[in-house]
């Protein structure tokens, strides 16, 4: 009887947390408040630079930013960051495999949420789209006025979002860019990226500090790596045939809605300080704030090997540099990068 009671309570908490982060007197997760004027406080939109769009290979296909060369071309415009739901009811997601970078962030109740960053390719659709968090603003400062697509945020957080150097776009501000798909709300809101950006800005917009090229020396063979949150679990298994890491979430293969497996070339487990933010959900669970400015330890997974490295990001306006313990830069493998923020011991 006790076991059934505990299980029922856990299910109720998970459902409440999946609904999003709100204060007891605040709006729902997907609402920015009825009194908000669309487009207000977004700042001056960035004027597109002189870039020619996404880099292309000899076959005309868009290239991943991991070709080992620094791009000197100005980006054709801002990149796109999308907050994506990651509870069980939200899977499989759409457009996740097209992202250049996927950040995994802790949220209330030990759950996780994703931020997908698009610069070299814009998929037809992305989602399910969910709400923003305070820590997103620090993470996004490394990019030049990015477009942030999200479903909503707490009313008290809105002034911080409006004052940040980014263009925030919710359904209320670009209704034609969002649509409701199959499934049950709130896990059925999707974005059409082409309605927000005329073109992918290209790899020069990825001002993350990441380097791409040959693997560093050393490392240890690694066939599988699991990262655990209190109520979420991510496993990355090396596939020799695909030369990629196969992602699983909570013990199930992470696939897109059209059945494609999500397979990053590089996975970074970045150990950060996670403090309690000033915001909390309706159950009183405070939102975790992973601090991405600072320094610490990390683990880089590439080419079936694991490398113990250091990370450093001096200010929010800078990208993150990854180095070996003796200070040499660590290069990532060409292709998608997953960065999982884990609590430092």
């Amino acid at each position: 009887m006790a076991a059934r009671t505990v299980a029922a309570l856990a299910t109720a908490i998970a459902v409440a947390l999946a609904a999003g982060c709100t204060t007891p007197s605040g709006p729902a997760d997907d609402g920015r408040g009825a009194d908000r004027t669309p487009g207000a406080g977004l700042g001056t939109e960035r004027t597109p630079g002189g870039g020619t769009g996404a880099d292309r290979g000899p076959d005309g296909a868009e290239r991943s930013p991991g070709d080992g060369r620094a791009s000197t071309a100005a980006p054709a415009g801002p990149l796109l960051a999308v907050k994506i739901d990651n509870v069980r009811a939200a899977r499989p997601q759409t457009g996740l495999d097209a992202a250049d970078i996927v950040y995994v962030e802790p949220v209330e109740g030990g759950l996780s949420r994703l931020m997908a960053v698009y610069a070299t390719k814009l998929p037809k659709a992305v989602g399910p789209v969910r709400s923003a968090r305070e820590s997103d603003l620090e993470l996004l400062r490394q990019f030049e006025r990015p477009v942030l697509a999200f479903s909503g945020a707490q009313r008290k957080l809105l002034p911080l979002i409006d004052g940040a150097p980014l263009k925030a776009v919710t359904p209320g501000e670009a209704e034609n860019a969002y649509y409701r798909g199959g499934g049950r709300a709130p896990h059925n809101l999707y974005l059409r990226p082409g309605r927000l950006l005329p073109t992918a800005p290209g790899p020069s917009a990825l001002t993350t500090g990441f380097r791409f090229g040959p693997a560093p020396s050393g490392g240890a063979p690694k066939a599988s790596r699991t990262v655990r949150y209190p109520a979420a679990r991510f496993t990355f298994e090396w596939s020799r045939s695909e030369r990629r890491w196969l992602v699983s979430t909570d013990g199930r293969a992470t696939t897109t809605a059209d059945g494609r497996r999500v397979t990053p070339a590089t996975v970074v487990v970045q150990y950060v300080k996670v403090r309690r933010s000033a915001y909390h959900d309706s159950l009183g669970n405070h939102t975790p704030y992973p601090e991405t400015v600072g320094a610490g330890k990390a683990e880089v997974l590439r080419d079936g090997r694991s490398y113990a490295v250091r990370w450093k990001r001096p200010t929010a306006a800078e990208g993150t540099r990854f180095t070996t313990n003796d200070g040499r830069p660590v290069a990532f493998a060409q292709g998608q990068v997953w960065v999982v923020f884990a609590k430092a011991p």
Side-chain angles (χ1 to χ4, degrees):
M1 180 66 178
R4 288 197 298 270
T5 302
V6 172
L9 179 60
T11 300
I13 291 174
V15 170
L17 291 173
C21 178
T22 58
T23 57
S25 59
D29 178 67
D30 286 345
R32 298 194 71 180
D35 58 344
R36 177 175 172 79
T37 301
L42 298 182
T44 303
E45 292 187 24
R46 178 181 172 213
T47 301
T52 58
D55 282 357
R56 296 182 180 274
D59 59 355
E62 291 183 353
R63 286 192 307 213
S64 165
D67 63 356
R69 296 177 297 173
S71 175
T72 57
L79 56 70
L80 173 67
V82 186
K83 291 305 297 289
I84 299 179
D85 204 349
N86 198 42
V87 297
R88 190 178 297 274
R91 305 178 209 136
Q93 292 102 338
T94 298
L96 195 59
D97 58 324
D100 294 284
I101 305 167
V102 176
Y103 290 104
V104 181
E105 309 167 299
V107 291
E108 304 78 24
L111 295 169
S112 65
R113 189 155 293 179
L114 309 178
M115 180 189 287
V117 175
Y118 301 87
T120 62
K121 181 180 180 181
L122 297 179
K124 291 182 179 179
V126 176
V129 181
R130 289 292 275 154
S131 60
R133 295 294 185 269
E134 182 186 10
S135 57
D136 297 334
L137 306 183
E138 179 177 275
L139 185 58
L140 289 171
R141 280 288 307 278
Q142 63 190 301
F143 305 117
E144 184 178 351
R145 301 199 68 83
V147 174
L148 172 61
F150 62 110
S151 64
Q154 290 186 24
R155 187 179 300 275
K156 292 180 180 180
L157 181 57
L158 295 178
L160 294 182
I161 296 175
D162 289 343
L166 53 79
K167 181 179 179 181
V169 184
T170 63
E173 291 148 344
E175 184 176 353
N176 67 336
Y178 292 86
Y179 67 96
R180 290 285 177 180
R184 204 164 41 172
H187 313 294
N188 63 349
L189 180 66
Y190 294 86
L191 171 74
R192 299 182 181 94
R195 301 284 179 91
L196 298 185
L197 298 183
T199 184
S204 56
L206 292 168
T207 51
T208 58
F210 298 171
R211 296 170 62 98
F212 296 86
S217 59
K222 180 75 73 171
S224 179
R225 175 71 162 90
T226 296
V227 182
R228 299 178 185 273
Y229 286 5
R233 182 171 86 254
F234 299 88
T235 298
F236 305 93
E237 296 178 271
W238 176 247
S239 170
R240 290 186 178 182
S241 60
E242 296 192 32
R243 304 292 298 173
R244 292 290 187 270
W245 297 92
L246 308 181
V247 184
S248 296
T249 307
D250 297 336
R252 297 183 179 181
T254 302
T255 61
T256 57
D258 55 5
R260 286 182 288 185
R261 191 75 183 264
V262 178
T263 58
T266 304
V267 177
V268 180
V269 182
Q270 185 174 341
Y271 294 99
V272 299
K273 179 180 179 181
V274 180
R275 62 175 171 82
R276 193 172 75 169
S277 78
Y279 304 95
H280 57 82
D281 64 17
S282 59
L283 296 176
N285 297 293
H286 281 264
T287 303
Y289 189 113
E291 296 186 358
T292 58
V293 172
K297 296 181 179 180
E299 180 182 4
V300 172
L301 305 174
R302 60 163 295 176
D303 304 325
R305 301 184 73 83
S306 169
Y307 299 87
V309 305
R310 306 285 302 181
W311 69 269
K312 185 176 183 180
R313 187 182 178 201
T315 68
E318 299 178 72
T320 306
R321 297 190 298 273
F322 293 90
T323 60
T324 59
N325 289 328
D326 58 3
R328 290 176 296 164
V330 172
F332 296 169
Q334 180 176 348
Q336 186 181 77
V337 178
W338 274 54
V339 181
V340 184
F341 295 122
K343 187 175 182 179

